[in-house]
Amino acid sequence: MKFFLDTANLEQIREVASWGILDGVTTNPSLCSKENVAFDVLIKDICAAVPGPVSVECVSTVAEDIVKEAEKLAGISPNVVIKIPVCIEGLKATKILSAKGIRVNMTLIFSCSQALLAAKAGARYVSPFIGRLDDSSQEGMELIEEIVAMLENYGFPTEVIVASVRHPRHVVNAAMIGAHIATVPFAVMEKLVKHPLTDIGMEKFLKDWGKVKR
Ligand code: G3P
């Protein structure tokens, strides 16, 4: 399973990159708005800090404009993957961009049919938002199960990025299903590592090490 960090915060990205388990980063306009850095500079710096794909979202709403914006963003760094919300104009743009070899991550996916059309249009990644589905009393993980099975049925090369991850169980369940990628906020990434019994065990081992004859 690949681990992406869902953030635009450089400090968090550099920290998790130092753990040796970071495969990529996903950003969105809301995450970028939290950073007090000019957008182009921010994306350039993130791309330099990450050894893998960095999703950057287009805000244009008409296919022609999305393509122009995407080409500009893709020029920032070879790491850039273009994030496009799933909609008719987005599908048109995805078809054009993927034919040009520009990788697209279709985002704001809330149904299996949206993921199917995104894959058909040539999206390299699809991002179903499971936490937001859970928030509206639906079972986000069921959508992941359906999308993974559906893509496998036809051998689509599209990878599923489990997004809107809220807790470690989301990550574990996604891994059990065989989703390709989870994009995880920093706070959840930290929780994935920690366990109180590990802390207690380490403390005891260190204490007992002090009693070992050397
Ligand atoms: O990757 C998408 C993610 O940033 C959305 O998460 O928590 O705003 O639903 P959230």
Side-chain angles (χ1 to χ4, degrees):
M1 190 188 213
K2 286 179 233 171
F3 277 91
F4 288 1
L5 197 61
D6 195 27
T7 187
N9 183 277
L10 265 172
E11 215 175 297
Q12 294 179 352
I13 292 167
R14 288 188 181 127
E15 171 60 25
V16 179
S18 78
W19 301 356
I21 51 97
L22 187 63
D23 298 299
V25 161
T26 53
T27 68
N28 62 39
S30 308
L31 293 170
C32 292
S33 74
K34 293 182 193 163
E35 307 306 315
N36 194 20
V37 184
F39 179 69
D40 282 18
V41 177
L42 181 64
I43 300 305
K44 215 174 262 178
D45 287 350
I46 292 174
C47 288
V50 183
V54 174
S55 288
V56 185
E57 193 151 340
C58 278
V59 291
S60 303
T61 52
V62 176
E64 208 187 359
D65 299 339
I66 299 172
V67 171
K68 277 189 206 143
E69 189 185 350
E71 284 176 331
K72 204 171 148 219
L73 291 173
I76 296 177
S77 160
N79 305 34
V80 169
V81 168
I82 305 301
K83 221 173 176 189
I84 301 176
V86 66
C87 60
I88 291 170
E89 292 301 307
L91 286 172
K92 290 184 204 169
T94 298
K95 183 75 189 173
I96 295 166
L97 291 166
S98 57
K100 290 181 178 203
I102 296 177
R103 292 171 298 172
V104 173
N105 170 4
M106 288 223 95
T107 188
L108 286 169
I109 300 260
F110 290 98
S111 77
C112 211
S113 59
Q114 289 177 325
L116 180 58
L117 294 182
K120 187 91 183 125
R124 180 74 185 73
Y125 305 97
V126 285
S127 292
F129 278 28
I130 57 165
R132 293 192 195 181
L133 279 173
D134 288 356
D135 289 345
S136 62
S137 73
Q138 281 174 266
E139 201 53 69
M141 208 47 75
E142 280 175 9
L143 178 61
I144 301 300
E145 228 164 331
E146 285 182 359
I147 294 175
V148 167
M150 181 192 72
L151 295 177
E152 262 173 30
N153 280 347
Y154 297 99
F156 280 112
T158 310
E159 290 183 88
V160 177
I161 303 179
V162 178
S164 187
V165 163
R166 299 279 162 78
H167 50 73
R169 200 65 221 173
H170 272 155
V171 179
V172 172
N173 288 345
M176 298 295 288
I177 291 166
H180 312 87
I181 302 155
T183 188
V184 183
F186 183 75
V188 177
M189 200 67 103
E190 280 187 316
K191 284 183 192 165
L192 286 170
V193 190
K194 294 199 170 174
H195 196 290
L197 288 176
T198 306
D199 295 341
I200 292 167
M202 278 171 69
E203 204 185 311
K204 178 150 174 38
F205 284 154
L206 279 178
K207 210 168 137 201
D208 290 345
W209 175 244
K211 299 178 207 158
V212 173
K213 280 211 172 96
R214 278 169 279 164

Short mmCIF file of all heavy atoms in Angstrom, two decimals, residues 41 61 72 160 178 188:
data_model
loop_
_atom_site.label_atom_id
_atom_site.label_comp_id
_atom_site.label_asym_id
_atom_site.label_seq_id
_atom_site.Cartn_x
_atom_site.Cartn_y
_atom_site.Cartn_z
N VAL A 41 5.15 28.95 -5.21
CA VAL A 41 6.34 28.66 -4.40
C VAL A 41 6.06 27.44 -3.52
O VAL A 41 6.89 26.53 -3.39
CB VAL A 41 6.69 29.89 -3.51
CG1 VAL A 41 7.86 29.59 -2.60
CG2 VAL A 41 6.95 31.11 -4.38
N THR A 61 -13.43 25.69 -14.32
CA THR A 61 -14.65 24.87 -14.36
C THR A 61 -15.07 24.47 -15.78
O THR A 61 -16.02 23.73 -15.95
CB THR A 61 -15.81 25.62 -13.67
OG1 THR A 61 -15.89 26.92 -14.26
CG2 THR A 61 -15.59 25.74 -12.18
N LYS A 72 -0.17 24.40 -17.06
CA LYS A 72 0.68 25.34 -16.34
C LYS A 72 1.17 24.70 -15.02
O LYS A 72 2.36 24.75 -14.70
CB LYS A 72 -0.14 26.61 -16.03
CG LYS A 72 0.71 27.83 -15.82
CD LYS A 72 -0.15 29.07 -15.74
CE LYS A 72 0.53 30.06 -14.81
NZ LYS A 72 -0.37 30.77 -13.96
N VAL A 160 -6.72 3.65 -6.78
CA VAL A 160 -7.67 4.25 -5.85
C VAL A 160 -6.92 4.91 -4.69
O VAL A 160 -6.13 4.25 -4.00
CB VAL A 160 -8.64 3.17 -5.28
CG1 VAL A 160 -9.58 3.78 -4.25
CG2 VAL A 160 -9.42 2.52 -6.42
N GLY A 178 -7.53 -3.80 -0.14
CA GLY A 178 -6.53 -3.79 -1.21
C GLY A 178 -6.52 -2.50 -2.00
O GLY A 178 -6.07 -2.48 -3.16
N VAL A 188 -3.37 11.66 11.80
CA VAL A 188 -3.73 10.24 11.69
C VAL A 188 -2.46 9.42 11.44
O VAL A 188 -2.30 8.31 11.96
CB VAL A 188 -4.78 10.01 10.58
CG1 VAL A 188 -5.10 8.53 10.42
CG2 VAL A 188 -6.05 10.81 10.86
#
